[in-house]
Amino acid sequence: MVDAAYRFIHDQGADFPPIVVWNFYQSSRIKPVIHDGHHRAWFFNNLKYRIKVVVLEPIFHYADVEAQCCLAFQIRKLAIDLSVY
């Protein structure tokens, strides 16, 4: 899907939408986290192309934001052999 969108946007001479990431820069444990654009990031990485990125940073309460987001990285479950209908 991203490949088709890239070809269409490229043919129109327009810019591809940027990827949106969160930057929790006060924590060395949490690197920039993609908020929007996972498929675009994968697509452009495979082509070794560059894409613009919008970086979001928390305005205040960094410790609270980091503590809440770091819970997402503590999940260690796998989904195996799920039927897709």
Side-chain angles (χ1 to χ4, degrees):
M1 186 66 121
V2 177
D3 183 44
Y6 175 77
R7 282 186 269 132
F8 176 78
I9 291 171
H10 183 68
D11 290 346
Q12 299 298 316
D15 290 332
F16 215 75
I19 295 170
V20 180
V21 300
W22 282 99
N23 183 22
F24 299 108
Y25 58 86
Q26 287 189 335
S27 173
S28 60
R29 295 179 295 120
I30 301 174
K31 304 297 181 197
V33 177
I34 296 176
H35 178 79
D36 177 52
H38 295 83
H39 294 100
R40 282 174 278 159
W42 179 83
F43 176 80
F44 281 94
N45 181 61
N46 282 347
L47 293 179
K48 306 235 185 309
Y49 289 174
R50 292 180 179 258
I51 185 170
K52 292 180 181 179
V53 175
V54 174
V55 179
L56 304 175
E57 296 179 346
I59 297 173
F60 55 89
H61 301 295
Y62 294 102
D64 294 340
V65 173
E66 289 175 7
Q68 291 174 9
C69 287
C70 111
L71 293 176
F73 299 103
Q74 294 177 6
I75 297 173
R76 302 210 184 271
K77 299 190 185 272
L78 298 175
I80 300 172
D81 295 330
L82 293 178
S83 300
V84 178
Y85 297 99

